[in-house]
Amino acid sequence: MTRVVRTRAELRDALAASPRPYGLVPTMGWLHEGHRALMGRARAENATTVVSIFVNPRQFGDAADLAQYPRNEARDVATCEAEGVDIVFAPPVEEVYPPGFDTVVTVGAIARPLEGAARPGHFDGVATVVAILFNLVGAERAYFGQKDAQQVAVIRRMAIDLATPTEVIACPTIREADGLAMSSRNVHLTPDERRAAPVLRRALLAARSAWEDGERSAEALRARMRIELASEPLASVDYVSVADAASLRELDRVEGPALLSLAVRFGSTRLIDNEALGAPGP
Ligand code: PAF
């Protein structure tokens, strides 16, 4: 039986009555197979599974993007029930950010390129809310999808630097049959855009295959991704990147573990995806 709590006090009481270890799955709702995989892993590894559902206003640069973010709490709670989640924390904004809230967690270099450059302030919002959730839940482990590879790296850095006892666990990206990474944003794609969207995966795999054939020039790998993306008229490229897997700095040559990543717009919907070369991502 899943218990839904909305305040810090209710969460504290629910946790006090629940056995450790706790596994936390932070989400913004509109739960899909990717989230279900995180919940399944949390359940397998912990005595109590906590899912937070909170559309965090601080990580949206654009009010329209925040307003459009898909929401369906009743369906999300039913998904959590089906996955055997013990506690759902679905707070209103003022329970996360109390009146007078005036603290921001800013992660440095790892948060600056890629999504950090494309979405100023985004990772401050993510790191701040995740720090609050980590403190509120005090979980032994927290689970995040590798689709947001830079987010995982930012949260890991934050957890190490702030001596947070919660272990940050990255889980593999879950994909549709045609390769499109599961994302809450996919719901905004028109049928034509949805048909076009697997080009992200094709571009990443084209670069991977060039790398497997011995290509080590990062610019050649970026070009490989751009060529594939250009084959899809509905795709408008935001960035393609070949970066060092640990620092996320752009590479000239791929001589060690690297991360291929890209952000592509289809109409008003922006999708991201990535592929690790040589070793797991950051
Ligand atoms: O990945 C997400 O859904 C969000 O960025 C997160 C980690 C729940 C923080 O709001």
Side-chain angles (χ1 to χ4, degrees):
M1 173 68 189
T2 303
R3 183 160 167 208
V4 180
V5 297
R6 302 203 180 270
T7 66
R8 291 178 174 213
E10 285 169 9
L11 176 63
R12 207 167 26 243
D13 291 349
L15 288 168
S18 305
R20 283 189 176 275
Y22 304 155
L24 170 65
V25 181
T27 82
M28 297 205 298
W30 202 259
L31 303 176
H32 50 67
E33 285 302 317
H35 295 114
R36 291 178 90 118
L38 302 181
M39 293 178 209
R41 174 102 185 253
R43 257 202 94 194
E45 295 180 352
N46 301 280
T48 297
T49 300
V50 183
V51 171
S52 61
I53 299 177
F54 179 63
V55 182
N56 172 32
R58 287 179 174 261
Q59 69 188 76
F60 289 83
D62 179 350
D65 193 22
L66 171 62
Q68 266 181 21
Y69 201 83
R71 297 161 210 241
N72 186 337
E73 192 190 287
R75 203 187 62 185
D76 288 344
V77 170
T79 300
C80 292
E81 290 266 10
E83 288 300 324
V85 169
D86 301 287
I87 301 171
V88 169
F89 180 46
V93 172
E94 61 277 12
E95 279 299 318
V96 176
Y97 301 118
F101 186 88
D102 200 16
T103 301
V104 173
V105 179
T106 298
V107 177
I110 195 92
R112 275 184 218 119
L114 305 173
E115 290 302 287
R119 305 176 65 190
H122 170 68
F123 283 128
D124 282 0
V126 169
T128 302
V129 80
V130 172
I132 293 167
L133 291 168
F134 278 13
N135 282 333
L136 287 174
V137 177
E140 276 76 1
R141 302 180 189 90
Y143 299 83
F144 299 88
Q146 190 61 27
K147 181 184 78 73
D148 299 301
Q150 190 179 13
Q151 169 170 280
V152 173
V154 167
I155 291 169
R156 242 187 211 139
R157 185 75 259 158
M158 180 273 290
I160 292 168
D161 291 355
L162 300 185
T164 306
T166 304
E167 183 190 354
V168 175
I169 297 176
C171 302
T173 302
I174 305 295
R175 299 181 181 281
E176 304 281 0
D178 59 11
L180 177 65
M182 300 254 181
S183 164
S184 306
R185 292 179 187 273
N186 294 352
V187 70
H188 293 310
L189 298 168
T190 65
D192 282 346
E193 290 166 353
R194 174 63 191 82
R195 273 188 290 278
V199 74
L200 273 81
R201 180 75 176 145
R202 287 203 304 279
L204 291 166
L205 292 182
R208 161 174 276 287
S209 129
W211 175 78
E212 283 169 356
D213 290 345
E215 181 61 76
R216 292 295 176 266
S217 155
E219 198 42 42
L221 297 177
R222 286 183 203 103
R224 198 64 207 79
M225 289 193 271
R226 281 197 208 97
I227 289 167
E228 191 65 39
L229 292 168
S231 72
E232 181 40 72
L234 294 179
S236 157
V237 180
D238 202 343
Y239 64 76
V240 297
S241 160
V242 179
D244 177 78
S247 69
L248 296 185
R249 275 198 289 271
E250 289 303 308
L251 291 169
D252 292 329
R253 297 203 45 87
V254 181
E255 306 295 2
L259 186 76
L260 307 174
S261 64
L262 36 70
V264 179
R265 285 178 200 276
F266 297 86
S268 58
T269 307
R270 184 173 177 280
L271 302 181
I272 61 172
D273 201 350
N274 65 80
E275 175 76 8
L277 296 184

